[in-house]
Amino acid sequence: MDRAGLITLEQARAAGLSFDEPEPRACPHCGAALDPLGAVLAGRVAWVSAAPCPCEGAASEREAEARRRAALAAKEEAARREKALSRAGIPRRYWAAEADRPEFAEYMASFAGNGGAGLYIHGGVGAGKTHAASAMARLFAEAGYEVAFTTAKGMLERVKATFDEGGTEAAVARYAKCDVLVLDDLGKEDATEWSVGTVFSVLDARYEDMRPTIVTSNYAPGALADRLARRGERVTAEAIASRISQTCRPVYLGGRDRRRLG
């Protein structure tokens, strides 16, 4: 029996199985007779194929078919990857981003057992915060995790857009319940009572459920609460900063603008 579970004519005869004589088959390249291969169904052999011919023409055809299948598989995998990255919300610009610092490699390596710990990536404009966060989001999405990548402002706009549709709870749940949330540019959004409260609702739910969050911001951990409370929402702003400080390891990327420096 061959590796596909099929049986040869000689094996069928040796086993005393019942079968009709197979129709002769010839190689279309060299004309050589091909050994029939059959599947045993209810004690009877059904001839379904033939052994491959070893001639050069047949071998070349098999190699071409293998290349075609490999190309199709690669195309399907690329489409699956693109769909996963799009669904996660990762900007196309960062689909090839790499997490090129040891802190990020260590975080990814320990992720499965980190108890919901996240990262707080901060630094100046253009320091590479979004690049780094996107790289990790990409790796998580490609590994099959449910990822939501969004700016804080974008998250609030999408939640607000559901007010008239009655879907606000579901919109908030997308960010509160996903496996990994990447919240980019925290501190750039409006600091209204509603916006600060909504950010807190998402982060508090993730805190309670021990779901990891990766946050990026221009503001150092000690300055975040002041930034979020710039319109007076001090208590909620401090609660947000507290949740982040308890769950996210700070990573400072410096103040250099990588976009300008190249």
Side-chain angles (χ1 to χ4, degrees):
M1 188 171 292
D2 77 350
R3 60 187 177 183
L6 301 179
I7 193 169
T8 66
L9 178 60
E10 182 179 346
Q11 290 169 331
R13 285 173 174 160
L17 295 171
S18 174
F19 58 84
D20 294 329
E21 285 297 318
E23 293 290 332
R25 297 193 185 191
C27 173
H29 300 281
C30 69
L34 301 178
D35 293 330
L37 296 174
V40 181
L41 304 171
R44 185 176 179 83
V45 180
W47 303 109
V48 296
S49 183
C53 183
C55 77
E56 184 176 344
S60 178
E61 182 180 19
R62 289 194 294 273
E63 290 172 1
E65 175 62 14
R67 289 193 297 270
R68 186 192 69 80
R69 291 188 179 187
L72 179 60
K75 184 177 180 180
E76 291 174 347
E77 174 59 23
R80 184 202 68 79
R81 176 179 180 270
E82 180 170 336
K83 182 178 180 180
L85 300 185
S86 295
R87 184 171 58 245
I90 302 168
R92 182 178 288 272
R93 177 179 296 277
Y94 300 106
W95 282 7
E98 296 290 339
D100 54 2
R101 286 176 60 115
E103 298 97 322
F104 303 140
E106 292 168 9
Y107 178 75
M108 299 298 298
S110 65
F111 179 77
N114 72 5
L119 292 173
Y120 183 79
I121 305 170
H122 63 105
V125 174
K129 302 181 296 297
T130 299
H131 178 99
S134 297
M136 287 182 283
R138 174 183 65 80
L139 293 172
F140 283 127
E142 290 175 349
Y145 288 96
E146 182 186 356
V147 178
F149 183 105
T150 180
T151 62
K153 181 179 179 181
M155 178 182 74
L156 294 169
E157 287 176 348
R158 281 185 282 275
V159 172
K160 187 177 292 185
T162 65
F163 282 178
D164 295 333
E165 303 168 4
T168 301
E169 184 175 340
V172 171
R174 163 168 166 68
Y175 302 108
K177 299 297 184 181
C178 61
D179 296 330
V180 181
L181 172 65
V182 178
L183 191 60
D184 195 30
D185 274 335
L186 181 62
K188 282 190 176 180
E189 70 286 350
D190 289 339
T192 65
E193 178 181 358
W194 175 81
S195 64
V196 175
T198 301
V199 170
F200 174 76
S201 295
V202 170
L203 294 182
D204 185 57
R206 299 189 65 78
Y207 172 82
E208 294 293 341
D209 291 341
M210 299 179 69
R211 299 179 188 273
T213 304
I214 297 173
V215 179
T216 80
S217 180
N218 290 340
Y219 302 92
L224 181 62
D226 288 340
R227 173 63 182 177
L228 298 178
R230 62 191 184 275
R231 291 194 180 178
E233 290 301 310
R234 170 62 58 180
V235 173
T236 307
E238 290 182 349
I240 291 172
S242 175
R243 296 292 186 271
I244 290 174
S245 68
Q246 289 181 59
T247 58
C248 296
R249 173 187 173 186
V251 179
Y252 179 54
L253 297 189
R256 297 193 309 164
D257 190 335
R258 288 174 31 165
R259 299 189 191 100
R260 294 185 178 181
L261 294 174

